[in-house]
Amino acid sequence: MERNERGVTPQGEDFSAWYNELVVKAQLVDRGPAKGTMVIRPYGYRLWELIQADLDRRIKDTGHENAYFPLLIPESYLRREADHVEGFAPELAVVTHAGGKELEEPLIVRPTSETIIGEMMAKWISSHRDLPLLLNQWANVVRWELRPRMFLRTTEFLWQEGHTAHTDETDAMRETMLALDIYTQVARDIAAIPVLPGEKTPGERFAGAARTFTIEGMMRDGKALQAGTSHYMGTNFAKAFDIRYTSGAGRLELCHTTSWGMSTRMIGGVIMTHGDDKGLVLPPRLAPHQVVIIPIGRGDQGEQTRTAAHELAARLKSATVRCHVDDRAQLSPGFRFNDWELRGVPIRLELGPRDLQSGTAVMAKRLGDEPKQNIPLSSAPTLIPNILEDFQTFLLTRATRFRDTHTTPTDTWPHFTEAVSTGWALALHCGKPTCENDIKTTTAATPRCIPLEAPPETGRCIHCDEPSAYGKRVIFGRAY
Amino acid sequence: MERNERGVTPQGEDFSAWYNELVVKAQLVDRGPAKGTMVIRPYGYRLWELIQADLDRRIKDTGHENAYFPLLIPESYLRREADHVEGFAPELAVVTHAGGKELEEPLIVRPTSETIIGEMMAKWISSHRDLPLLLNQWANVVRWELRPRMFLRTTEFLWQEGHTAHTDETDAMRETMLALDIYTQVARDIAAIPVLPGEKTPGERFAGAARTFTIEGMMRDGKALQAGTSHYMGTNFAKAFDIRYTSGAGRLELCHTTSWGMSTRMIGGVIMTHGDDKGLVLPPRLAPHQVVIIPIGRGDQGEQTRTAAHELAARLKSATVRCHVDDRAQLSPGFRFNDWELRGVPIRLELGPRDLQSGTAVMAKRLGDEPKQNIPLSSAPTLIPNILEDFQTFLLTRATRFRDTHTTPTDTWPHFTEAVSTGWALALHCGKPTCENDIKTTTAATPRCIPLEAPPETGRCIHCDEPSAYGKRVIFGRAY
């Protein structure tokens, strides 16, 4: 009864239902009142804070500074870059009234900040000595969503957006790839998602970008999730906003700009990369609680195990383990076990009267084939950090194996359609947008990226048999 | 010439002009395109990050958890608490169109989040075991401003808002005072602002609150700045949003709620508490750069001092000093000295070829009567942290002395009007809103707070001669 109440639809039965039920039951989010908005509850927000802390450190270590730009952008700003406004127009939320009056010019709730930051860059940059200008912003953005999905596509989401200006293409492209590399590291090293970095095909570029790069993760249903993007804008925004500098030779030149973003979508990626039918599985480096200790027993014995649990927690915290004691005496041990399984805690320590007598705790890991084992209370603070690191590595290895066994090089159309129904296909493609569209209509698969690292190869397009483009194979898959 | 370009209007000539020019010239902010919005530049945003880091730690240490609630709130939510909507209606920004269509119900860009958080609390709380519920949110809010002023009153600002629910008044009031105490500590210990904590008179309460508490700082023009507020809501929002719990005795009871906020306004407080005619003066605990090292010299000698400056900076950073090397060789030493004086860096170290030979640097503090002094390069990392701590203490002592010498107990109306023209008056008051209004109309002064700590005293109202209220003196002053 307790079990069923907390349970979720199995992944194999309906992956979408599994996800939608789990994010709510694990208390990560709740639905907001306005269409497609979400409330991020403390357990979910803590995940975001841990991603933020790591990503922010990397962004600062590479010379970027945080700043903050206004939420409300005059409508006319967006119109200055033609591709940009075309891409975003259908998703905009518009403030028409404020302070009790109708505004002369409507204000857009930012869907992204290229335009307003472009306007300010033009003001701040005059000489080549002002370059590169390396800015980052942590902010909320609003894009009206027709088919919202918690974390993955919400009307409002949280993100960071980097915006930089450079003297030339070489420097701007170096920056674009630096940001992509930071994202790859955060995804792999912190979230244990073995993402594939690559370039988007022209049809999948960001609105206004000259080149768009992405990191793509494979979810446990075989679909792809774009988990971060980095754009080289060329001089498109510099022209639209007049971002110019005087070169060493005294000439007035256009800047080359970039932008790059990673968002709360990443949390959706963590859930769908590692989760299973019992619930979330959180990588230790992101887990709000890396260890949950559950004292067991009633009356005096319960009091003793409770005290011992808090003592152990204090020692684990000194060893920098994020630790929580679940001493809700009104709930059965079994209910509490299931609860923290559902919420994805990597390690559970059970502490009953008999364990206490023998100076041990029963350790259960969230994943793996090993049975429960006894762990001495005295050495727990030394052992646990290593066990957590091993668990982190195990998750990355497992996800990499899953991705690799679900990625199929293919040269025939029937084989291609089969491959993209359960994972990714590695195929040659002609590069034509119309052919991309045909493939999408037939199979729901889109080109996810042209991987940065792939052997050179040419031949015929998997779909239309025209000569292949890009000089290497493209990753195709269905996507979130 | 260089000096005049960077200079600002003296405080004594026009305090407002001094402030408005300084925040832009010190590169803290720039004006945003939409009315009353601001762009927070990296130097200004770093101040906010340092306030945030300290305040967030204190909020978490006292058991609160961060969460995130939607920016866009249905208009109908605000109407549920009558006082609340009345207070905020004139300041609201309204989204009427989104996704290319007119919305059925307009959405408000949050001016504060009591309503949407109240709605969610009602959903999350069922038993007394769910209480207290201690939440905090870091967010942007929008309140349409007719007379905007950078940091002090902007259409959009950044803040944290704590929202908590409790079983009864005692627990909720304990929380209200805890938050006020945290704010008092952050202002005093980090920003070196000796704020006065107290309760607002009924006429100055937050819209919807049963009791409002505030911390008030005195700016260098004698005006008051409300630097943080903490509200006990009674059961007002619990009634409006149906936030109820089942007690241990099985009865359904209304929760008692609180809310409390501190914002980017605090940065305005730092500027106006410590700044002078040369520019900003930043308390070391908040200074983005606590020390700036300026290498001096041309050619080979310039190269040597530059290298030595970076070596020294690395050693200071190891001693956890936030340190910056200004090696802009194209600018004269004098220009760079003035620049960092304007930007309020506590300690400047000048490093010329002769200093290098004698193994010392010339140290100039941003404030104080001491002349420049030589400091040995070898012991700088041990000496500087203490010098910074002394500087922090000096600022708090100076600001406390300024506040105390500009606060006047007064029992006669002529004396009162004189006192509030240059500082604060401590006076007895009848407590009637009409009398408060009369005082405001005549003198521009308002009751800032009824100080928490003040000796009991009763008598006649300073203005209308009716019997005094509150049992103690009230602080009156002009305010931002």
Side-chain angles (χ1 to χ4, degrees):
Chain A
M1 162 77 176
E2 279 175 341
R3 180 110 202 187
N4 289 347
E5 265 178 18
R6 317 280 313 173
V8 289
T9 301
Q11 289 185 337
E13 205 172 284
D14 184 341
F15 196 82
S16 275
W18 169 83
Y19 181 84
N20 293 338
E21 291 164 22
L22 181 55
V23 291
V24 172
K25 289 202 174 175
Q27 298 184 27
L28 297 173
V29 286
D30 235 322
R31 194 188 294 265
K35 184 180 169 61
T37 60
M38 68 175 161
V39 173
I40 310 180
R41 301 186 67 174
Y43 199 61
Y45 196 78
R46 189 73 193 124
L47 283 169
W48 180 236
E49 286 187 315
L50 290 163
I51 293 172
Q52 267 195 309
D54 186 82
L55 181 50
D56 190 64
R57 184 181 53 74
R58 291 175 201 259
I59 288 172
K60 284 181 175 146
D61 282 352
T62 45
H64 304 84
E65 294 184 299
N66 287 338
Y68 188 78
F69 296 84
L71 170 76
L72 302 175
I73 302 179
E75 203 177 34
S76 57
Y77 277 38
L78 270 90
R79 289 206 214 94
R80 289 201 220 158
E81 216 291 330
D83 288 341
H84 192 66
V85 69
E86 195 192 320
F88 281 105
E91 301 178 5
L92 301 179
V94 189
V95 172
T96 56
H97 292 70
K101 286 184 187 165
E102 184 166 0
L103 295 170
E104 284 179 28
E105 181 182 358
L107 295 170
I108 304 300
V109 184
R110 66 178 161 225
T112 178
S113 303
E114 276 76 8
T115 60
I116 194 157
I117 295 182
E119 175 80 2
M120 298 314 297
M121 280 181 165
K123 199 172 167 181
W124 296 337
I125 296 168
S126 57
S127 148
H128 63 98
R129 290 205 180 86
D130 302 322
L131 299 173
L133 180 60
L134 307 175
L135 299 174
N136 179 60
Q137 164 171 273
W138 290 95
N140 53 345
V141 288
V142 170
R143 301 178 185 176
W144 215 251
E145 282 294 346
L146 297 178
R147 290 165 301 121
R149 196 108 186 248
M150 296 293 106
F151 291 121
L152 303 175
R153 280 190 314 273
T154 47
T155 293
E156 180 190 7
F157 58 89
L158 304 181
W159 77 346
Q160 62 65 224
E161 44 181 325
H163 294 270
T164 68
H166 306 261
T167 52
D168 54 38
E169 177 171 353
T170 308
D171 202 49
M173 271 304 297
R174 191 186 300 127
E175 170 75 18
T176 307
M177 301 319 284
L178 170 70
L180 192 73
D181 194 44
I182 289 175
Y183 291 157
T184 307
Q185 288 171 34
V186 169
R188 188 191 55 207
D189 299 346
I190 304 302
I193 306 178
V195 291
L196 208 75
E199 183 165 3
K200 286 285 183 191
T201 61
E204 298 274 326
R205 268 184 208 138
F206 178 77
R211 300 179 71 177
T212 285
F213 296 83
T214 177
I215 55 170
E216 300 281 325
M218 182 186 283
M219 307 297 102
R220 288 187 72 77
D221 60 352
K223 285 196 196 173
L225 182 80
Q226 176 180 304
T229 48
S230 183
H231 316 289
Y232 167 58
M233 301 301 190
T235 55
N236 295 344
F237 282 87
K239 276 179 200 146
F241 288 89
D242 206 24
I243 314 172
R244 290 169 199 273
Y245 70 97
T246 309
S247 72
R251 273 195 304 273
L252 200 61
E253 308 271 7
L254 281 170
C255 287
H256 292 245
T257 67
T258 84
S259 78
W260 29 279
M262 182 175 265
S263 76
T264 36
R265 172 167 246 235
M266 199 53 192
I267 298 172
V270 169
I271 298 165
M272 294 194 294
T273 300
H274 304 300
D276 63 19
D277 289 348
K278 289 184 189 167
L280 300 178
V281 176
L282 296 176
R285 291 194 189 159
L286 274 190
H289 309 314
Q290 298 173 313
V291 172
V292 163
I293 308 174
I294 300 185
I296 302 167
R298 298 185 173 278
D300 278 356
Q301 289 191 325
E303 196 51 46
Q304 280 164 20
T305 57
R306 210 178 79 91
T307 306
H310 283 282
E311 275 169 16
L312 177 58
R315 288 169 56 230
L316 286 171
K317 277 174 197 167
S318 300
T320 72
V321 174
R322 290 189 293 273
C323 186
H324 174 73
V325 176
D326 182 357
D327 53 8
R328 293 175 294 175
Q330 75 274 20
L331 300 175
S332 72
F335 183 91
R336 287 180 280 164
F337 296 173
N338 292 342
D339 197 25
W340 293 111
E341 257 175 20
L342 181 90
R343 300 182 80 185
V345 172
I347 293 177
R348 177 178 80 230
L349 295 178
E350 307 165 8
L351 199 56
R354 244 178 275 174
D355 304 310
L356 205 54
Q357 244 170 3
S358 63
T360 57
V362 176
M363 180 179 72
K365 289 194 231 169
R366 178 58 183 81
L367 268 191
D369 302 326
E370 305 158 41
K372 291 186 184 185
Q373 59 183 99
N374 291 321
I375 180 169
L377 296 177
S378 57
S379 53
T382 1
L383 296 174
I384 298 270
N386 294 326
I387 297 169
L388 288 168
E389 273 307 290
D390 289 349
F391 192 81
Q392 178 87 26
T393 307
F394 169 75
L395 288 186
L396 181 63
T397 308
R398 188 180 75 134
T400 307
R401 200 182 319 124
F402 183 86
R403 181 198 67 187
D404 291 347
T405 54
H406 290 76
T407 303
T408 316
T410 166
D411 295 311
T412 70
W413 183 245
H415 194 200
F416 177 93
T417 57
E418 195 191 313
V420 297
S421 72
T422 55
W424 296 348
L426 260 172
L428 291 167
H429 188 258
C430 63
K432 297 205 181 93
T434 50
C435 181
E436 281 186 14
N437 274 337
D438 287 349
I439 293 176
K440 185 172 183 180
T441 312
T442 328
T443 66
T446 49
R448 301 316 306 151
C449 70
I450 310 154
L452 294 187
E453 292 187 20
E457 201 173 339
T458 54
R460 295 276 155 188
C461 174
I462 187 77
H463 185 249
C464 72
D465 215 38
E466 293 287 309
S468 70
Y470 313 122
K472 53 172 92 164
R473 285 175 186 264
V474 178
I475 292 273
F476 280 85
R478 293 163 307 141
Y480 281 94
Chain B
M1 163 76 178
E2 279 175 342
R3 179 112 202 188
N4 290 346
E5 266 178 17
R6 317 281 311 174
V8 288
T9 301
Q11 289 185 337
E13 205 172 284
D14 184 343
F15 195 83
S16 275
W18 169 83
Y19 180 84
N20 293 336
E21 291 165 21
L22 181 56
V23 290
V24 172
K25 289 202 174 177
Q27 298 184 26
L28 296 173
V29 286
D30 236 322
R31 193 188 292 264
K35 185 180 169 58
T37 59
M38 68 176 162
V39 173
I40 310 181
R41 300 186 68 174
Y43 198 62
Y45 196 78
R46 189 72 191 124
L47 282 170
W48 181 236
E49 284 187 315
L50 290 162
I51 293 171
Q52 267 196 309
D54 186 82
L55 181 51
D56 190 64
R57 182 181 54 74
R58 291 174 200 260
I59 289 172
K60 284 181 174 146
D61 282 353
T62 45
H64 304 85
E65 294 184 299
N66 287 338
Y68 188 78
F69 296 83
L71 170 76
L72 302 175
I73 302 178
E75 202 176 34
S76 58
Y77 277 38
L78 270 89
R79 289 205 214 94
R80 288 201 221 159
E81 215 291 333
D83 289 340
H84 192 66
V85 70
E86 195 191 320
F88 281 104
E91 303 178 4
L92 301 178
V94 190
V95 173
T96 55
H97 293 71
K101 285 184 189 166
E102 183 165 359
L103 296 170
E104 284 179 29
E105 181 183 359
L107 296 170
I108 304 299
V109 184
R110 67 179 159 223
T112 178
S113 303
E114 276 77 7
T115 59
I116 193 157
I117 295 182
E119 175 81 2
M120 299 313 298
M121 281 181 165
K123 198 170 168 183
W124 297 337
I125 296 168
S126 58
S127 148
H128 64 97
R129 290 205 180 86
D130 302 322
L131 298 173
L133 180 59
L134 307 174
L135 299 175
N136 179 60
Q137 163 170 272
W138 290 96
N140 53 345
V141 287
V142 170
R143 300 177 185 177
W144 214 251
E145 282 293 347
L146 296 178
R147 291 165 300 124
R149 196 107 186 249
M150 296 293 104
F151 292 121
L152 304 175
R153 280 191 315 274
T154 47
T155 294
E156 179 190 9
F157 58 89
L158 304 181
W159 77 347
Q160 61 64 223
E161 43 182 325
H163 294 271
T164 69
H166 306 262
T167 51
D168 54 37
E169 176 171 354
T170 308
D171 202 48
M173 271 303 297
R174 191 187 300 125
E175 169 75 19
T176 307
M177 301 318 285
L178 170 70
L180 193 73
D181 195 43
I182 289 175
Y183 291 158
T184 307
Q185 288 170 34
V186 169
R188 188 190 56 207
D189 297 346
I190 304 301
I193 306 178
V195 290
L196 208 76
E199 182 164 3
K200 287 285 184 192
T201 60
E204 299 272 327
R205 265 181 210 140
F206 177 77
R211 299 179 71 178
T212 285
F213 295 83
T214 177
I215 54 169
E216 301 280 326
M218 183 187 281
M219 306 297 103
R220 288 187 71 77
D221 60 353
K223 285 197 195 172
L225 183 82
Q226 176 180 304
T229 49
S230 183
H231 315 289
Y232 166 57
M233 301 301 191
T235 55
N236 295 343
F237 283 88
K239 277 178 199 146
F241 290 89
D242 206 25
I243 314 172
R244 290 170 198 273
Y245 69 98
T246 309
S247 72
R251 273 196 305 272
L252 199 61
E253 308 271 7
L254 281 170
C255 287
H256 292 246
T257 66
T258 84
S259 79
W260 29 279
M262 183 176 264
S263 75
T264 36
R265 173 168 246 236
M266 197 56 189
I267 298 172
V270 170
I271 298 165
M272 293 195 293
T273 299
H274 304 299
D276 63 19
D277 289 347
K278 289 184 188 166
L280 301 178
V281 177
L282 296 177
R285 292 195 189 157
L286 274 189
H289 309 314
Q290 298 173 312
V291 172
V292 164
I293 308 175
I294 300 185
I296 301 168
R298 298 187 174 276
D300 277 357
Q301 289 191 324
E303 196 50 48
Q304 280 164 21
T305 57
R306 211 180 79 92
T307 306
H310 283 282
E311 275 169 17
L312 177 59
R315 289 169 56 229
L316 286 171
K317 278 174 196 165
S318 299
T320 71
V321 174
R322 290 189 293 273
C323 186
H324 174 72
V325 177
D326 181 358
D327 53 9
R328 293 175 294 174
Q330 75 275 18
L331 299 175
S332 72
F335 184 91
R336 286 180 280 164
F337 295 174
N338 292 343
D339 197 26
W340 293 112
E341 257 175 19
L342 180 91
R343 300 182 80 185
V345 171
I347 293 176
R348 177 177 79 231
L349 295 178
E350 308 165 8
L351 200 56
R354 243 178 278 174
D355 303 311
L356 204 55
Q357 244 171 2
S358 62
T360 57
V362 176
M363 178 178 74
K365 289 193 230 169
R366 178 59 182 78
L367 267 192
D369 301 327
E370 305 159 40
K372 291 186 183 183
Q373 60 184 98
N374 292 321
I375 181 169
L377 296 178
S378 57
S379 53
T382 2
L383 296 174
I384 299 270
N386 294 325
I387 297 169
L388 288 169
E389 273 307 290
D390 289 349
F391 193 82
Q392 179 86 26
T393 307
F394 169 75
L395 288 186
L396 181 62
T397 307
R398 189 179 74 135
T400 307
R401 201 181 318 124
F402 182 86
R403 181 197 69 187
D404 292 346
T405 55
H406 289 76
T407 303
T408 315
T410 167
D411 295 312
T412 71
W413 182 247
H415 194 200
F416 177 92
T417 57
E418 197 191 311
V420 297
S421 72
T422 55
W424 294 350
L426 261 172
L428 291 167
H429 188 258
C430 64
K432 298 206 180 89
T434 50
C435 182
E436 280 186 14
N437 274 337
D438 287 348
I439 293 176
K440 185 172 182 180
T441 311
T442 329
T443 67
T446 48
R448 302 316 306 153
C449 70
I450 309 154
L452 294 187
E453 291 189 18
E457 202 174 338
T458 53
R460 294 276 154 188
C461 173
I462 186 75
H463 185 247
C464 72
D465 215 39
E466 292 287 311
S468 70
Y470 312 123
K472 53 171 93 166
R473 286 174 187 263
V474 178
I475 291 273
F476 279 85
R478 294 164 304 143
Y480 281 94

